[in-house]
Amino acid sequence: MDLHQDDRFTGVLSDLERIARDLVDTGRLVPIAGTGESGVVIEFAMYGEGKKAEPSILINITSSEGFDGEERLLDDFEDYVISRLEAASRNWSQEVTDLLGDDRPVILLINGEEY
């Protein structure tokens, strides 16, 4: 399922972009990325290799620095993003939420490395 090719997901994509932009604009990304010069993309995508790939929510952070902090920071960041997604999903149609499913694992990637 390609969310970008299906008009039913326009609101979802807008919400994902808005949440990602907010993470950068409010500085919430800095403790994780180590710098203000970083970016984040949130997407619904398949994650894993071959037959082990499964529908997931990816939080993909790119930064010139790697993560060098406490794991609690990662948990808090992930919890915050999940809470924002849950709030946004209340405005999505039932059809869209059914198609996306409600038990996708959340995968946090920093410079391509899973945390």
Side-chain angles (χ1 to χ4, degrees):
M1 165 174 60
D2 185 355
L3 275 58
H4 296 278
Q5 300 299 320
D6 191 328
D7 290 340
R8 295 177 291 185
F9 297 104
T10 301
V12 173
L13 295 172
S14 293
D15 286 339
L16 296 178
E17 289 173 11
R18 183 177 36 77
I19 293 167
R21 191 172 44 253
D22 178 63
L23 292 169
V24 173
D25 292 348
T26 62
R28 285 191 179 269
L29 193 56
V30 173
I32 305 301
T35 178
E37 301 298 316
S38 55
V40 61
V41 174
I42 304 168
E43 62 185 331
F44 287 85
M46 297 297 286
Y47 185 75
E49 304 239 355
K51 292 182 179 184
K52 292 185 178 185
E54 63 181 324
S56 304
I57 299 171
L58 303 180
I59 306 168
N60 194 354
I61 298 169
T62 54
S63 174
S64 60
E65 299 181 26
F67 178 71
D68 188 29
E70 296 178 28
E71 189 169 321
R72 179 189 55 78
L73 289 173
L74 296 174
D75 293 339
D76 291 347
F77 180 79
E78 194 174 287
D79 289 345
Y80 177 77
V81 173
I82 291 168
S83 71
R84 293 289 309 272
L85 288 170
E86 287 174 349
S89 71
R90 292 183 195 117
N91 296 317
W92 302 341
S93 72
Q94 187 63 49
E95 178 185 21
V96 166
T97 55
D98 289 346
L99 289 169
L100 292 174
D102 60 356
D103 61 349
R104 288 178 180 241
V106 176
I107 310 296
L108 178 60
L109 303 166
I110 301 175
N111 295 328
E113 184 177 337
E114 185 176 346
Y115 281 84

PDB file of all heavy atoms in Angstrom, residues 73-106:
ATOM      1  N   LEU A  73      15.895   9.026  27.179  1.00  0.00           N
ATOM      2  CA  LEU A  73      15.605  10.078  26.207  1.00  0.00           C
ATOM      3  C   LEU A  73      14.929   9.503  24.967  1.00  0.00           C
ATOM      4  O   LEU A  73      13.995  10.094  24.427  1.00  0.00           O
ATOM      5  CB  LEU A  73      16.888  10.805  25.786  1.00  0.00           C
ATOM      6  CG  LEU A  73      17.540  11.709  26.807  1.00  0.00           C
ATOM      7  CD1 LEU A  73      18.882  12.214  26.281  1.00  0.00           C
ATOM      8  CD2 LEU A  73      16.629  12.870  27.147  1.00  0.00           C
ATOM      9  N   LEU A  74      15.401   8.348  24.535  1.00  0.00           N
ATOM     10  CA  LEU A  74      14.807   7.692  23.365  1.00  0.00           C
ATOM     11  C   LEU A  74      13.370   7.270  23.661  1.00  0.00           C
ATOM     12  O   LEU A  74      12.479   7.472  22.842  1.00  0.00           O
ATOM     13  CB  LEU A  74      15.634   6.474  22.945  1.00  0.00           C
ATOM     14  CG  LEU A  74      17.062   6.748  22.468  1.00  0.00           C
ATOM     15  CD1 LEU A  74      17.794   5.439  22.243  1.00  0.00           C
ATOM     16  CD2 LEU A  74      17.070   7.612  21.226  1.00  0.00           C
ATOM     17  N   ASP A  75      13.168   6.677  24.842  1.00  0.00           N
ATOM     18  CA  ASP A  75      11.821   6.238  25.230  1.00  0.00           C
ATOM     19  C   ASP A  75      10.854   7.418  25.317  1.00  0.00           C
ATOM     20  O   ASP A  75       9.730   7.343  24.828  1.00  0.00           O
ATOM     21  CB  ASP A  75      11.861   5.498  26.574  1.00  0.00           C
ATOM     22  CG  ASP A  75      12.603   4.174  26.495  1.00  0.00           C
ATOM     23  OD1 ASP A  75      12.741   3.617  25.386  1.00  0.00           O
ATOM     24  OD2 ASP A  75      13.061   3.700  27.557  1.00  0.00           O
ATOM     25  N   ASP A  76      11.311   8.507  25.944  1.00  0.00           N
ATOM     26  CA  ASP A  76      10.461   9.694  26.066  1.00  0.00           C
ATOM     27  C   ASP A  76      10.132  10.290  24.704  1.00  0.00           C
ATOM     28  O   ASP A  76       8.995  10.698  24.454  1.00  0.00           O
ATOM     29  CB  ASP A  76      11.131  10.760  26.942  1.00  0.00           C
ATOM     30  CG  ASP A  76      11.219  10.352  28.409  1.00  0.00           C
ATOM     31  OD1 ASP A  76      10.547   9.367  28.810  1.00  0.00           O
ATOM     32  OD2 ASP A  76      11.972  11.017  29.147  1.00  0.00           O
ATOM     33  N   PHE A  77      11.116  10.340  23.832  1.00  0.00           N
ATOM     34  CA  PHE A  77      10.914  10.878  22.489  1.00  0.00           C
ATOM     35  C   PHE A  77       9.908  10.014  21.720  1.00  0.00           C
ATOM     36  O   PHE A  77       8.966  10.521  21.121  1.00  0.00           O
ATOM     37  CB  PHE A  77      12.256  10.931  21.747  1.00  0.00           C
ATOM     38  CG  PHE A  77      12.157  11.458  20.352  1.00  0.00           C
ATOM     39  CD1 PHE A  77      12.071  12.819  20.119  1.00  0.00           C
ATOM     40  CD2 PHE A  77      12.153  10.598  19.269  1.00  0.00           C
ATOM     41  CE1 PHE A  77      11.988  13.312  18.826  1.00  0.00           C
ATOM     42  CE2 PHE A  77      12.066  11.076  17.977  1.00  0.00           C
ATOM     43  CZ  PHE A  77      11.982  12.443  17.757  1.00  0.00           C
ATOM     44  N   GLU A  78      10.115   8.720  21.763  1.00  0.00           N
ATOM     45  CA  GLU A  78       9.215   7.795  21.073  1.00  0.00           C
ATOM     46  C   GLU A  78       7.786   7.898  21.636  1.00  0.00           C
ATOM     47  O   GLU A  78       6.823   7.940  20.875  1.00  0.00           O
ATOM     48  CB  GLU A  78       9.748   6.370  21.217  1.00  0.00           C
ATOM     49  CG  GLU A  78       9.107   5.375  20.301  1.00  0.00           C
ATOM     50  CD  GLU A  78       9.794   4.027  20.391  1.00  0.00           C
ATOM     51  OE1 GLU A  78      10.923   3.901  19.882  1.00  0.00           O
ATOM     52  OE2 GLU A  78       9.189   3.094  20.970  1.00  0.00           O
ATOM     53  N   ASP A  79       7.663   7.965  22.959  1.00  0.00           N
ATOM     54  CA  ASP A  79       6.345   8.109  23.580  1.00  0.00           C
ATOM     55  C   ASP A  79       5.659   9.398  23.130  1.00  0.00           C
ATOM     56  O   ASP A  79       4.450   9.413  22.885  1.00  0.00           O
ATOM     57  CB  ASP A  79       6.450   8.091  25.110  1.00  0.00           C
ATOM     58  CG  ASP A  79       6.799   6.722  25.663  1.00  0.00           C
ATOM     59  OD1 ASP A  79       6.691   5.721  24.922  1.00  0.00           O
ATOM     60  OD2 ASP A  79       7.192   6.661  26.847  1.00  0.00           O
ATOM     61  N   TYR A  80       6.427  10.471  23.021  1.00  0.00           N
ATOM     62  CA  TYR A  80       5.864  11.745  22.585  1.00  0.00           C
ATOM     63  C   TYR A  80       5.335  11.638  21.152  1.00  0.00           C
ATOM     64  O   TYR A  80       4.223  12.072  20.861  1.00  0.00           O
ATOM     65  CB  TYR A  80       6.910  12.867  22.683  1.00  0.00           C
ATOM     66  CG  TYR A  80       6.385  14.179  22.176  1.00  0.00           C
ATOM     67  CD1 TYR A  80       5.526  14.948  22.951  1.00  0.00           C
ATOM     68  CD2 TYR A  80       6.723  14.650  20.913  1.00  0.00           C
ATOM     69  CE1 TYR A  80       5.015  16.147  22.488  1.00  0.00           C
ATOM     70  CE2 TYR A  80       6.220  15.848  20.434  1.00  0.00           C
ATOM     71  CZ  TYR A  80       5.371  16.590  21.225  1.00  0.00           C
ATOM     72  OH  TYR A  80       4.863  17.776  20.745  1.00  0.00           O
ATOM     73  N   VAL A  81       6.125  11.054  20.269  1.00  0.00           N
ATOM     74  CA  VAL A  81       5.697  10.908  18.874  1.00  0.00           C
ATOM     75  C   VAL A  81       4.448  10.033  18.799  1.00  0.00           C
ATOM     76  O   VAL A  81       3.490  10.356  18.088  1.00  0.00           O
ATOM     77  CB  VAL A  81       6.825  10.341  17.989  1.00  0.00           C
ATOM     78  CG1 VAL A  81       6.322  10.032  16.580  1.00  0.00           C
ATOM     79  CG2 VAL A  81       7.993  11.316  17.928  1.00  0.00           C
ATOM     80  N   ILE A  82       4.421   8.953  19.548  1.00  0.00           N
ATOM     81  CA  ILE A  82       3.255   8.060  19.559  1.00  0.00           C
ATOM     82  C   ILE A  82       2.019   8.807  20.049  1.00  0.00           C
ATOM     83  O   ILE A  82       0.936   8.677  19.468  1.00  0.00           O
ATOM     84  CB  ILE A  82       3.526   6.803  20.417  1.00  0.00           C
ATOM     85  CG1 ILE A  82       4.560   5.917  19.721  1.00  0.00           C
ATOM     86  CG2 ILE A  82       2.231   6.025  20.669  1.00  0.00           C
ATOM     87  CD1 ILE A  82       5.114   4.807  20.593  1.00  0.00           C
ATOM     88  N   SER A  83       2.168   9.614  21.087  1.00  0.00           N
ATOM     89  CA  SER A  83       1.009  10.363  21.593  1.00  0.00           C
ATOM     90  C   SER A  83       0.504  11.356  20.553  1.00  0.00           C
ATOM     91  O   SER A  83      -0.707  11.539  20.399  1.00  0.00           O
ATOM     92  CB  SER A  83       1.337  11.073  22.906  1.00  0.00           C
ATOM     93  OG  SER A  83       2.207  12.159  22.704  1.00  0.00           O
ATOM     94  N   ARG A  84       1.401  11.972  19.815  1.00  0.00           N
ATOM     95  CA  ARG A  84       0.990  12.896  18.751  1.00  0.00           C
ATOM     96  C   ARG A  84       0.284  12.148  17.620  1.00  0.00           C
ATOM     97  O   ARG A  84      -0.702  12.632  17.069  1.00  0.00           O
ATOM     98  CB  ARG A  84       2.204  13.651  18.196  1.00  0.00           C
ATOM     99  CG  ARG A  84       2.874  14.617  19.163  1.00  0.00           C
ATOM    100  CD  ARG A  84       2.035  15.860  19.444  1.00  0.00           C
ATOM    101  NE  ARG A  84       1.577  16.537  18.258  1.00  0.00           N
ATOM    102  CZ  ARG A  84       2.236  17.480  17.590  1.00  0.00           C
ATOM    103  NH1 ARG A  84       3.420  17.875  18.019  1.00  0.00           N
ATOM    104  NH2 ARG A  84       1.730  18.018  16.502  1.00  0.00           N
ATOM    105  N   LEU A  85       0.783  10.956  17.276  1.00  0.00           N
ATOM    106  CA  LEU A  85       0.131  10.146  16.239  1.00  0.00           C
ATOM    107  C   LEU A  85      -1.259   9.704  16.687  1.00  0.00           C
ATOM    108  O   LEU A  85      -2.202   9.729  15.895  1.00  0.00           O
ATOM    109  CB  LEU A  85       0.982   8.923  15.893  1.00  0.00           C
ATOM    110  CG  LEU A  85       2.248   9.193  15.099  1.00  0.00           C
ATOM    111  CD1 LEU A  85       3.117   7.936  15.049  1.00  0.00           C
ATOM    112  CD2 LEU A  85       1.905   9.658  13.699  1.00  0.00           C
ATOM    113  N   GLU A  86      -1.374   9.298  17.943  1.00  0.00           N
ATOM    114  CA  GLU A  86      -2.683   8.887  18.467  1.00  0.00           C
ATOM    115  C   GLU A  86      -3.678  10.039  18.417  1.00  0.00           C
ATOM    116  O   GLU A  86      -4.828   9.858  18.028  1.00  0.00           O
ATOM    117  CB  GLU A  86      -2.540   8.352  19.895  1.00  0.00           C
ATOM    118  CG  GLU A  86      -1.888   6.997  19.962  1.00  0.00           C
ATOM    119  CD  GLU A  86      -1.619   6.534  21.384  1.00  0.00           C
ATOM    120  OE1 GLU A  86      -1.751   7.340  22.343  1.00  0.00           O
ATOM    121  OE2 GLU A  86      -1.255   5.357  21.548  1.00  0.00           O
ATOM    122  N   ALA A  87      -3.231  11.223  18.790  1.00  0.00           N
ATOM    123  CA  ALA A  87      -4.110  12.389  18.758  1.00  0.00           C
ATOM    124  C   ALA A  87      -4.530  12.708  17.320  1.00  0.00           C
ATOM    125  O   ALA A  87      -5.702  12.973  17.050  1.00  0.00           O
ATOM    126  CB  ALA A  87      -3.418  13.593  19.396  1.00  0.00           C
ATOM    127  N   ALA A  88      -3.589  12.661  16.402  1.00  0.00           N
ATOM    128  CA  ALA A  88      -3.900  12.955  14.995  1.00  0.00           C
ATOM    129  C   ALA A  88      -4.849  11.917  14.417  1.00  0.00           C
ATOM    130  O   ALA A  88      -5.750  12.245  13.642  1.00  0.00           O
ATOM    131  CB  ALA A  88      -2.611  13.011  14.175  1.00  0.00           C
ATOM    132  N   SER A  89      -4.665  10.665  14.801  1.00  0.00           N
ATOM    133  CA  SER A  89      -5.468   9.585  14.212  1.00  0.00           C
ATOM    134  C   SER A  89      -6.948   9.687  14.568  1.00  0.00           C
ATOM    135  O   SER A  89      -7.786   9.111  13.881  1.00  0.00           O
ATOM    136  CB  SER A  89      -4.924   8.215  14.631  1.00  0.00           C
ATOM    137  OG  SER A  89      -5.170   7.959  15.996  1.00  0.00           O
ATOM    138  N   ARG A  90      -7.266  10.432  15.591  1.00  0.00           N
ATOM    139  CA  ARG A  90      -8.679  10.617  15.962  1.00  0.00           C
ATOM    140  C   ARG A  90      -9.460  11.347  14.865  1.00  0.00           C
ATOM    141  O   ARG A  90     -10.677  11.272  14.821  1.00  0.00           O
ATOM    142  CB  ARG A  90      -8.795  11.359  17.282  1.00  0.00           C
ATOM    143  CG  ARG A  90      -8.291  10.537  18.445  1.00  0.00           C
ATOM    144  CD  ARG A  90      -8.476  11.262  19.772  1.00  0.00           C
ATOM    145  NE  ARG A  90      -7.680  10.600  20.773  1.00  0.00           N
ATOM    146  CZ  ARG A  90      -6.669  11.152  21.433  1.00  0.00           C
ATOM    147  NH1 ARG A  90      -6.352  12.414  21.212  1.00  0.00           N
ATOM    148  NH2 ARG A  90      -5.984  10.468  22.321  1.00  0.00           N
ATOM    149  N   ASN A  91      -8.740  12.043  14.004  1.00  0.00           N
ATOM    150  CA  ASN A  91      -9.380  12.781  12.910  1.00  0.00           C
ATOM    151  C   ASN A  91      -9.372  12.017  11.588  1.00  0.00           C
ATOM    152  O   ASN A  91      -9.888  12.516  10.594  1.00  0.00           O
ATOM    153  CB  ASN A  91      -8.690  14.140  12.720  1.00  0.00           C
ATOM    154  CG  ASN A  91      -8.863  15.022  13.927  1.00  0.00           C
ATOM    155  OD1 ASN A  91      -9.943  15.095  14.501  1.00  0.00           O
ATOM    156  ND2 ASN A  91      -7.797  15.680  14.334  1.00  0.00           N
ATOM    157  N   TRP A  92      -8.759  10.844  11.559  1.00  0.00           N
ATOM    158  CA  TRP A  92      -8.714  10.049  10.339  1.00  0.00           C
ATOM    159  C   TRP A  92      -9.994   9.240  10.223  1.00  0.00           C
ATOM    160  O   TRP A  92     -10.603   8.853  11.227  1.00  0.00           O
ATOM    161  CB  TRP A  92      -7.517   9.108  10.328  1.00  0.00           C
ATOM    162  CG  TRP A  92      -6.191   9.808  10.468  1.00  0.00           C
ATOM    163  CD1 TRP A  92      -5.914  11.131  10.238  1.00  0.00           C
ATOM    164  CD2 TRP A  92      -4.959   9.218  10.880  1.00  0.00           C
ATOM    165  NE1 TRP A  92      -4.599  11.390  10.486  1.00  0.00           N
ATOM    166  CE2 TRP A  92      -3.978  10.243  10.881  1.00  0.00           C
ATOM    167  CE3 TRP A  92      -4.588   7.938  11.257  1.00  0.00           C
ATOM    168  CZ2 TRP A  92      -2.651  10.015  11.228  1.00  0.00           C
ATOM    169  CZ3 TRP A  92      -3.269   7.692  11.599  1.00  0.00           C
ATOM    170  CH2 TRP A  92      -2.306   8.723  11.577  1.00  0.00           C
ATOM    171  N   SER A  93     -10.400   8.954   9.005  1.00  0.00           N
ATOM    172  CA  SER A  93     -11.623   8.168   8.806  1.00  0.00           C
ATOM    173  C   SER A  93     -11.423   6.747   9.325  1.00  0.00           C
ATOM    174  O   SER A  93     -10.293   6.258   9.434  1.00  0.00           O
ATOM    175  CB  SER A  93     -11.990   8.134   7.322  1.00  0.00           C
ATOM    176  OG  SER A  93     -11.079   7.304   6.616  1.00  0.00           O
ATOM    177  N   GLN A  94     -12.527   6.095   9.619  1.00  0.00           N
ATOM    178  CA  GLN A  94     -12.466   4.709  10.081  1.00  0.00           C
ATOM    179  C   GLN A  94     -11.825   3.822   9.018  1.00  0.00           C
ATOM    180  O   GLN A  94     -11.059   2.918   9.333  1.00  0.00           O
ATOM    181  CB  GLN A  94     -13.862   4.199  10.444  1.00  0.00           C
ATOM    182  CG  GLN A  94     -13.845   2.830  11.081  1.00  0.00           C
ATOM    183  CD  GLN A  94     -13.094   2.816  12.406  1.00  0.00           C
ATOM    184  OE1 GLN A  94     -13.322   3.651  13.263  1.00  0.00           O
ATOM    185  NE2 GLN A  94     -12.190   1.864  12.574  1.00  0.00           N
ATOM    186  N   GLU A  95     -12.138   4.088   7.757  1.00  0.00           N
ATOM    187  CA  GLU A  95     -11.550   3.305   6.662  1.00  0.00           C
ATOM    188  C   GLU A  95     -10.028   3.412   6.677  1.00  0.00           C
ATOM    189  O   GLU A  95      -9.327   2.407   6.559  1.00  0.00           O
ATOM    190  CB  GLU A  95     -12.104   3.791   5.322  1.00  0.00           C
ATOM    191  CG  GLU A  95     -11.496   3.062   4.140  1.00  0.00           C
ATOM    192  CD  GLU A  95     -11.937   3.618   2.805  1.00  0.00           C
ATOM    193  OE1 GLU A  95     -12.388   4.787   2.733  1.00  0.00           O
ATOM    194  OE2 GLU A  95     -11.820   2.880   1.816  1.00  0.00           O
ATOM    195  N   VAL A  96      -9.515   4.614   6.839  1.00  0.00           N
ATOM    196  CA  VAL A  96      -8.066   4.834   6.847  1.00  0.00           C
ATOM    197  C   VAL A  96      -7.433   4.147   8.051  1.00  0.00           C
ATOM    198  O   VAL A  96      -6.415   3.465   7.913  1.00  0.00           O
ATOM    199  CB  VAL A  96      -7.743   6.345   6.813  1.00  0.00           C
ATOM    200  CG1 VAL A  96      -6.292   6.611   7.170  1.00  0.00           C
ATOM    201  CG2 VAL A  96      -8.072   6.919   5.446  1.00  0.00           C
ATOM    202  N   THR A  97      -8.011   4.307   9.226  1.00  0.00           N
ATOM    203  CA  THR A  97      -7.424   3.671  10.402  1.00  0.00           C
ATOM    204  C   THR A  97      -7.478   2.146  10.292  1.00  0.00           C
ATOM    205  O   THR A  97      -6.546   1.464  10.722  1.00  0.00           O
ATOM    206  CB  THR A  97      -8.102   4.134  11.703  1.00  0.00           C
ATOM    207  OG1 THR A  97      -9.501   3.915  11.628  1.00  0.00           O
ATOM    208  CG2 THR A  97      -7.835   5.599  11.965  1.00  0.00           C
ATOM    209  N   ASP A  98      -8.539   1.607   9.690  1.00  0.00           N
ATOM    210  CA  ASP A  98      -8.611   0.160   9.480  1.00  0.00           C
ATOM    211  C   ASP A  98      -7.515  -0.308   8.529  1.00  0.00           C
ATOM    212  O   ASP A  98      -6.891  -1.353   8.748  1.00  0.00           O
ATOM    213  CB  ASP A  98      -9.982  -0.252   8.937  1.00  0.00           C
ATOM    214  CG  ASP A  98     -11.089  -0.140   9.974  1.00  0.00           C
ATOM    215  OD1 ASP A  98     -10.778  -0.005  11.180  1.00  0.00           O
ATOM    216  OD2 ASP A  98     -12.270  -0.169   9.571  1.00  0.00           O
ATOM    217  N   LEU A  99      -7.276   0.460   7.463  1.00  0.00           N
ATOM    218  CA  LEU A  99      -6.245   0.090   6.492  1.00  0.00           C
ATOM    219  C   LEU A  99      -4.844   0.156   7.092  1.00  0.00           C
ATOM    220  O   LEU A  99      -3.991  -0.677   6.794  1.00  0.00           O
ATOM    221  CB  LEU A  99      -6.324   0.994   5.257  1.00  0.00           C
ATOM    222  CG  LEU A  99      -7.514   0.774   4.341  1.00  0.00           C
ATOM    223  CD1 LEU A  99      -7.626   1.903   3.318  1.00  0.00           C
ATOM    224  CD2 LEU A  99      -7.406  -0.572   3.629  1.00  0.00           C
ATOM    225  N   LEU A 100      -4.615   1.136   7.960  1.00  0.00           N
ATOM    226  CA  LEU A 100      -3.296   1.278   8.578  1.00  0.00           C
ATOM    227  C   LEU A 100      -3.081   0.272   9.698  1.00  0.00           C
ATOM    228  O   LEU A 100      -1.951  -0.110   9.985  1.00  0.00           O
ATOM    229  CB  LEU A 100      -3.119   2.699   9.119  1.00  0.00           C
ATOM    230  CG  LEU A 100      -3.023   3.796   8.072  1.00  0.00           C
ATOM    231  CD1 LEU A 100      -3.009   5.159   8.743  1.00  0.00           C
ATOM    232  CD2 LEU A 100      -1.800   3.606   7.195  1.00  0.00           C
ATOM    233  N   GLY A 101      -4.142  -0.153  10.333  1.00  0.00           N
ATOM    234  CA  GLY A 101      -4.023  -1.086  11.456  1.00  0.00           C
ATOM    235  C   GLY A 101      -3.673  -0.339  12.726  1.00  0.00           C
ATOM    236  O   GLY A 101      -3.270   0.820  12.709  1.00  0.00           O
ATOM    237  N   ASP A 102      -3.819  -1.020  13.845  1.00  0.00           N
ATOM    238  CA  ASP A 102      -3.587  -0.342  15.117  1.00  0.00           C
ATOM    239  C   ASP A 102      -2.505  -0.986  15.973  1.00  0.00           C
ATOM    240  O   ASP A 102      -2.290  -0.589  17.105  1.00  0.00           O
ATOM    241  CB  ASP A 102      -4.882  -0.254  15.917  1.00  0.00           C
ATOM    242  CG  ASP A 102      -5.465  -1.613  16.235  1.00  0.00           C
ATOM    243  OD1 ASP A 102      -4.922  -2.626  15.779  1.00  0.00           O
ATOM    244  OD2 ASP A 102      -6.475  -1.658  16.961  1.00  0.00           O
ATOM    245  N   ASP A 103      -1.799  -1.938  15.441  1.00  0.00           N
ATOM    246  CA  ASP A 103      -0.758  -2.574  16.261  1.00  0.00           C
ATOM    247  C   ASP A 103       0.585  -2.642  15.540  1.00  0.00           C
ATOM    248  O   ASP A 103       1.319  -3.608  15.659  1.00  0.00           O
ATOM    249  CB  ASP A 103      -1.208  -3.961  16.715  1.00  0.00           C
ATOM    250  CG  ASP A 103      -1.467  -4.911  15.547  1.00  0.00           C
ATOM    251  OD1 ASP A 103      -1.504  -4.452  14.394  1.00  0.00           O
ATOM    252  OD2 ASP A 103      -1.613  -6.117  15.801  1.00  0.00           O
ATOM    253  N   ARG A 104       0.900  -1.598  14.815  1.00  0.00           N
ATOM    254  CA  ARG A 104       2.192  -1.538  14.136  1.00  0.00           C
ATOM    255  C   ARG A 104       3.294  -1.238  15.147  1.00  0.00           C
ATOM    256  O   ARG A 104       3.128  -0.368  16.002  1.00  0.00           O
ATOM    257  CB  ARG A 104       2.202  -0.421  13.101  1.00  0.00           C
ATOM    258  CG  ARG A 104       1.383  -0.702  11.882  1.00  0.00           C
ATOM    259  CD  ARG A 104       1.419   0.489  10.938  1.00  0.00           C
ATOM    260  NE  ARG A 104       0.627   0.236   9.757  1.00  0.00           N
ATOM    261  CZ  ARG A 104       1.128   0.228   8.533  1.00  0.00           C
ATOM    262  NH1 ARG A 104       2.384   0.466   8.334  1.00  0.00           N
ATOM    263  NH2 ARG A 104       0.353  -0.027   7.509  1.00  0.00           N
ATOM    264  N   PRO A 105       4.418  -1.932  15.056  1.00  0.00           N
ATOM    265  CA  PRO A 105       5.539  -1.567  15.927  1.00  0.00           C
ATOM    266  C   PRO A 105       6.105  -0.216  15.496  1.00  0.00           C
ATOM    267  O   PRO A 105       6.037   0.164  14.329  1.00  0.00           O
ATOM    268  CB  PRO A 105       6.553  -2.689  15.695  1.00  0.00           C
ATOM    269  CG  PRO A 105       6.189  -3.294  14.395  1.00  0.00           C
ATOM    270  CD  PRO A 105       4.718  -3.080  14.207  1.00  0.00           C
ATOM    271  N   VAL A 106       6.641   0.517  16.459  1.00  0.00           N
ATOM    272  CA  VAL A 106       7.287   1.793  16.182  1.00  0.00           C
ATOM    273  C   VAL A 106       8.787   1.544  16.171  1.00  0.00           C
ATOM    274  O   VAL A 106       9.343   0.997  17.131  1.00  0.00           O
ATOM    275  CB  VAL A 106       6.910   2.844  17.244  1.00  0.00           C
ATOM    276  CG1 VAL A 106       7.664   4.140  17.013  1.00  0.00           C
ATOM    277  CG2 VAL A 106       5.403   3.082  17.239  1.00  0.00           C
TER     278      VAL A 106
END
